[in-house]
Amino acid sequence: MALFTPTTSHSKLSSLQQHYPFWTKTITIISRPRRTYVPITFSLVSNTQVATFEEGQLDRPKWAGETPLSRFVGKIISFKPFYSILKFGARQVLISTAEKSNIPWRDMTKEILESDVYKEMESIQNPSLVYPDYYLNPFHAYDEGNLSWLAAAEAEAATMSMVKRAIPNASSVDEANQVVRGNWLQAIDQHYQMHSANSMIKDILDIGCSVGVSTRFLASKFPSAKVTGLDLSPYFLAVAQFKEKETASRKNPISWIHANGEDTGLPSNSFDLVSLAYVIHECPTRAIVGLVKEGFRLLRPGGILALTDNSELSPVLFTLMKSTEPFLDEYYLTDIEETMRQAGFVNIKTTLTDPRHRTVMGIVPY
């Protein structure tokens, strides 16, 4: 199984952070997935010290799959009173992290819910879209899953909280994003430049774009590219479109599409980069396979598919997340690299782009 369990890097990073305050320092991590060294730079501001260490081996977490711990967690979740407690706990972890990090969760939510965002729904929603069965499950402690205004209104604050939890010693969300988003974008750009003969990335598709946070980062990194955000939730897309209208005009405005990422209906060979950011941990294995195959179809020769998502989680955090992420077990038991290889991708590389997230990339051969 090609899975991250970066316990070595986590502990050493924690030790480094204790000794060196988060303020102008570059920490270079040497990661070794599948016997290859992958340098990763975490920009933690401080003097000019550079610390290097080796990331743990890729192995299946002990708590995933048909293990005693996993079965125990499953039994807890299946018991409704415990499930409600876990669901509440998972939600509170995000909200408390946000509030401690000066992320105005409640104010941000209220601002969206009391805005004119609802007017965007008519122009964004595809009424003929049939939702896949797995998407109708409760997600993220919302009974309606991603198909609700509350989920859409809270999504950006939740994303900010996630980033801050990944880089807890960052002085701000912006500084945490320099690591989490900056390393992710840098990894994509470097892998593309190394393995694609194409001169530049001209067309980008962000599948599972949610409220457009990752989409806007992609548009900023590749300003000359035409960027499209695609999602199954018209609520999320309405918020994405509403927020984009509030920002300064771009040279190439972002387009938003309400569609299924496994069957987008978009033309083949029409993109240079297809991104799935924090999407596949919410999908069963069959959906992950479908998304990867669709990405291969959509990309031009030399194009890159980039999937960024959770690496290893502690058993406690996994238990909390599993109560709001029904397919988390399947995600951790899916060999993403092999799935990409079987779809036809080459030059597949997995890299730890921040202490909690890995990015897996593959190139469509010529």
Side-chain angles (χ1 to χ4, degrees):
M1 285 292 176
L3 296 165
F4 272 112
T5 52
T7 50
T8 303
S9 58
H10 279 214
S11 60
K12 293 189 179 180
L13 179 61
S14 176
S15 174
L16 286 166
Q17 288 175 331
Q18 288 173 6
H19 287 88
Y20 303 104
F22 193 107
W23 49 289
T24 7
K25 172 172 36 129
T26 297
I27 291 182
T28 300
I29 292 182
I30 304 300
S31 170
R32 195 197 303 193
R34 294 190 179 275
R35 301 180 184 173
T36 59
Y37 284 95
V38 182
I40 307 158
T41 300
F42 290 157
S43 300
L44 308 177
V45 208
S46 181
N47 346 28
T48 51
Q49 248 160 341
V50 175
T52 63
F53 57 91
E54 192 177 308
E55 193 246 327
Q57 295 300 307
L58 302 181
D59 200 2
R60 190 174 79 185
K62 295 177 181 178
W63 35 257
E66 289 301 315
T67 63
L69 178 57
S70 181
R71 287 195 295 270
F72 177 69
V73 171
K75 287 181 179 178
I76 290 176
I77 292 172
S78 65
F79 185 54
K80 286 189 176 181
F82 281 146
Y83 169 74
S84 298
I85 292 171
L86 287 171
K87 185 172 70 171
F88 176 78
R91 179 175 169 78
Q92 288 305 115
V93 164
L94 280 175
I95 295 176
S96 63
T97 298
E99 291 174 340
K100 290 175 184 176
S101 304
N102 297 316
I103 299 168
W105 182 295
R106 291 172 178 81
D107 289 343
M108 290 175 68
T109 301
K110 182 180 178 183
E111 183 179 351
I112 291 294
L113 293 176
E114 294 181 356
S115 71
D116 292 329
V117 67
Y118 310 98
K119 296 178 181 178
E120 307 295 334
M121 180 68 83
E122 185 177 348
S123 65
I124 208 78
Q125 186 173 22
N126 174 8
S128 63
L129 180 64
V130 177
Y131 295 104
D133 56 355
Y134 70 85
Y135 196 73
L136 301 176
N137 278 274
F139 284 99
H140 304 150
Y142 305 106
D143 291 337
E144 305 87 355
N146 295 329
L147 298 173
S148 75
W149 284 113
L150 181 60
E154 292 187 332
E156 185 163 8
T159 299
M160 294 167 72
S161 183
M162 176 273 291
V163 169
K164 192 64 173 64
R165 283 182 65 80
I167 314 294
N169 287 357
S171 62
S172 66
V173 173
D174 286 343
E175 197 170 61
N177 268 322
Q178 290 175 20
V179 179
V180 175
R181 305 290 184 176
N183 287 343
W184 162 61
L185 293 167
Q186 183 183 32
I188 292 172
D189 193 25
Q190 288 180 346
H191 199 67
Y192 183 81
Q193 296 302 329
M194 183 179 296
H195 296 290
S196 178
N198 299 337
S199 58
M200 61 188 299
I201 292 176
K202 299 177 182 178
D203 296 282
I204 299 172
L205 178 64
D206 188 23
I207 294 179
C209 67
S210 181
V211 294
V213 176
S214 57
T215 323
R216 293 193 293 272
F217 273 101
L218 287 164
S220 296
K221 173 66 175 178
F222 305 101
S224 61
K226 179 182 176 183
V227 181
T228 301
L230 182 148
D231 203 272
L232 269 168
S233 172
Y235 301 89
F236 286 179
L237 290 170
V239 172
Q241 185 166 276
F242 175 76
K243 292 185 72 68
E244 183 65 13
K245 286 180 178 179
E246 290 187 323
T247 61
S249 59
R250 299 181 189 273
K251 177 184 175 182
N252 294 313
I254 298 173
S255 302
W256 308 100
I257 298 177
H258 183 212
N260 185 344
E262 298 176 69
D263 184 16
T264 64
L266 297 171
S268 300
N269 307 319
S270 54
F271 294 95
D272 303 297
L273 164 60
V274 171
S275 170
L276 289 107
Y278 313 106
V279 174
I280 58 174
H281 73 274
E282 297 183 1
C283 301
T285 299
R286 58 186 168 87
I288 296 174
V289 171
L291 289 165
V292 170
K293 287 182 176 178
E294 180 70 351
F296 188 86
R297 183 187 72 81
L298 291 169
L299 286 163
R300 299 177 178 122
I304 181 172
L305 175 68
L307 300 86
T308 189
D309 221 303
N310 296 329
S311 55
E312 183 254 1
L313 293 172
S314 69
V316 173
L317 189 53
F318 170 76
T319 302
L320 285 174
M321 282 194 67
K322 193 171 178 179
S323 66
T324 65
E325 305 282 4
F327 302 108
L328 197 60
D329 237 357
E330 289 197 47
Y331 162 69
Y332 277 110
L333 294 175
T334 301
D335 189 327
I336 304 300
E337 293 88 343
E338 182 59 27
T339 299
M340 292 175 68
R341 195 171 290 111
Q342 290 185 10
F345 287 97
V346 297
N347 297 315
I348 297 165
K349 173 181 173 182
T350 298
T351 183
L352 189 70
T353 40
D354 70 69
R356 287 200 175 190
H357 303 106
R358 60 172 173 161
T359 298
V360 190
M361 298 163 288
I363 300 291
V364 174
Y366 288 91

